[in-house]
Amino acid sequence: MNKIIILNGPNLNLLGEREKNQYGSFTLKEIENNCEEFANKNDISLALFQSNIEGELVEKIQDSR
């Protein structure tokens, strides 16, 4: 089984709430749901993580090795 981790960084938790003309109207949760659906259909192990703290993202990358 393939494994994928998707990291979303600062302010992406605000997708769909602000500047919709620039970033679109999909929320991060909707995007994550679409990714999970795709992963389930394609036998992919998926981990999702969002943080506004860059250090947490770096730690998640290092922990996933």
Side-chain angles (χ1 to χ4, degrees):
M1 174 182 287
N2 291 317
K3 297 179 182 180
I4 296 175
I5 182 171
I6 297 177
L7 302 176
N8 290 290
N11 297 321
L12 290 181
N13 58 310
L14 299 176
L15 285 175
E17 297 178 21
R18 61 181 202 128
E19 299 177 16
K20 292 181 182 182
N21 61 326
Q22 185 170 354
Y23 299 109
S25 60
F26 287 106
T27 65
L28 180 58
K29 187 63 182 166
E30 290 171 322
I31 294 169
E32 289 177 338
N33 288 341
N34 288 339
C35 291
E36 288 173 337
E37 186 177 312
F38 178 86
N40 290 334
K41 288 181 182 177
N42 292 281
D43 196 33
I44 296 169
S45 172
L46 180 64
L48 301 163
F49 183 75
Q50 188 278 327
S51 178
N52 292 319
I53 302 169
E54 291 178 1
E56 289 181 359
L57 295 166
V58 172
E59 285 183 4
K60 191 61 114 171
I61 291 168
Q62 292 180 357
D63 290 344
S64 70
R65 294 173 37 138

